[in-house]
Amino acid sequence: MLLAIDTGNTNTVFSIWDGEKILCTLRTSTEHQRTADQYFVWWDTLTRHHGITPEITGVIISSTVPRVVFNLRVFSDRYFGLRPLVVGKPECLLPIGVRVDAGTQVGPDRLVNTVAGFRQYGGDLIIVDFGTATTFDVADHDGAYIGGVIAPGVNLSLEALHMAAAALPHVDISRPERVIGTNTVACMQSGVYWGYIGLIKEICARIKAEHARPMKVIGTGGLAPLFQQGEDLFDVTEDTLTMQGLLDIYNYNKEQGSI
């Protein structure tokens, strides 16, 4: 079985694959000080709770937080006896090209999403990922990653409002019934929700105009379904796009004989 680990700035997700489908997905907060032994105690407790005792035969890691990779490597080696494949390292081969400015480091999660998007839908894609940041990634006709856009994440924007303005409370994002809010919470929710609707529409429109080819838009991340409600933002939403990409990259490296 394959263990795919995706570490973001906020959460780290562990998915167990039996080769073709996800058996179980586990989520924890991202903490760079967490040791390999602490990962295992957490892992062992939750896998037992789900009634599975997976025999892990491969591990792949994508991390936007470099400081956590060391302990995840130790976790993989100590408890599974495996050297993990780490996206972004020279030994990890990608089935797509990367055409950006020389010296630019592209976030591993953005490359992973592009790999999965291209395999499932072909080229000429915009992938909108709702994470700590809201990212727009562009795949060319041949699947190559050719750049994108980074905007503040939805929850980050809400937190910034709460932290910077003493009179504004912390609120959760939801689709408001009306644009004009009649209380503080409704006003904040409207501003963030409809503001991001406008941001997504405008950035995607400008990318399409600049790319000058028909493009498919994929939404992913926990908030993608929320923003799709009542709006025709995405051609498709994919909850497990990143995990699918990690599986694709792992299989590609097996085919190439690098693992």
Side-chain angles (χ1 to χ4, degrees):
M1 295 182 185
L2 174 68
L3 172 59
I5 305 173
D6 174 44
T7 298
N9 290 292
T10 305
N11 292 317
T12 298
V13 181
F14 292 63
S15 284
I16 305 166
W17 292 80
D18 69 354
E20 294 186 358
K21 66 179 183 295
I22 296 176
L23 294 183
C24 182
T25 297
L26 310 173
R27 185 180 299 266
T28 185
S29 59
T30 298
E31 298 175 5
H32 69 268
Q33 70 270 26
R34 183 171 293 168
T35 67
D37 297 332
Q38 289 173 317
Y39 276 118
F40 179 74
V41 171
W42 170 83
W43 161 272
D44 190 56
T45 300
L46 285 184
T47 52
R48 288 177 182 274
H49 172 76
H50 285 280
I52 58 175
T53 53
E55 185 175 341
I56 302 300
T57 57
V59 179
I60 183 169
I61 300 169
S62 169
S63 178
T64 59
V65 186
R67 295 174 69 184
V68 307
V69 174
F70 174 77
N71 283 326
L72 287 173
R73 282 181 180 272
V74 175
F75 166 70
S76 176
D77 178 64
R78 181 175 297 169
Y79 292 103
F80 305 127
L82 297 169
R83 178 183 175 87
L85 191 65
V86 180
V87 179
K89 298 297 183 182
E91 63 270 19
C92 181
L93 306 178
L94 296 177
I96 60 168
V98 180
R99 296 197 285 268
V100 294
D101 294 344
T104 300
Q105 287 191 327
V106 181
D109 56 328
R110 305 178 77 180
L111 298 175
V112 171
N113 285 346
T114 304
V115 168
F118 179 62
R119 185 186 69 81
Q120 294 184 60
Y121 302 104
D124 296 316
L125 298 177
I126 303 170
I127 300 170
V128 185
D129 189 357
F130 295 89
T132 304
T134 300
T135 58
F136 300 73
D137 298 311
V138 182
D140 210 348
H141 64 93
D142 59 351
Y145 178 88
I146 58 173
V149 176
I150 301 175
V154 177
N155 288 315
L156 190 63
S157 296
L158 282 168
E159 189 65 26
L161 275 175
H162 170 63
M163 294 295 291
L168 297 181
H170 178 79
V171 300
D172 293 325
I173 183 64
S174 64
R175 187 182 192 274
E177 295 182 6
R178 302 177 60 200
V179 175
I180 301 173
T182 55
N183 57 68
T184 301
V185 170
C187 289
M188 292 174 67
Q189 289 176 331
S190 183
V192 171
Y193 184 85
W194 296 112
Y196 270 85
I197 291 290
L199 179 143
I200 295 162
K201 286 184 174 180
E202 183 68 12
I203 289 179
C204 287
R206 288 181 176 270
I207 290 173
K208 290 177 180 180
E210 191 170 289
H211 194 62
R213 294 170 64 98
M215 304 186 77
K216 183 177 294 245
V217 182
I218 301 172
T220 189
L223 292 175
L226 173 65
F227 282 97
Q228 183 72 337
Q229 290 179 11
E231 295 292 324
D232 205 13
L233 295 178
F234 313 121
D235 295 297
V236 65
T237 58
E238 289 283 355
D239 291 339
T240 61
L241 190 70
T242 303
M243 288 302 169
Q244 290 283 349
L246 286 172
L247 176 63
D248 294 339
I249 292 171
Y250 186 84
N251 288 339
Y252 179 75
N253 279 265
K254 283 186 68 175
E255 293 167 2
Q256 298 299 312
S258 59
I259 53 175

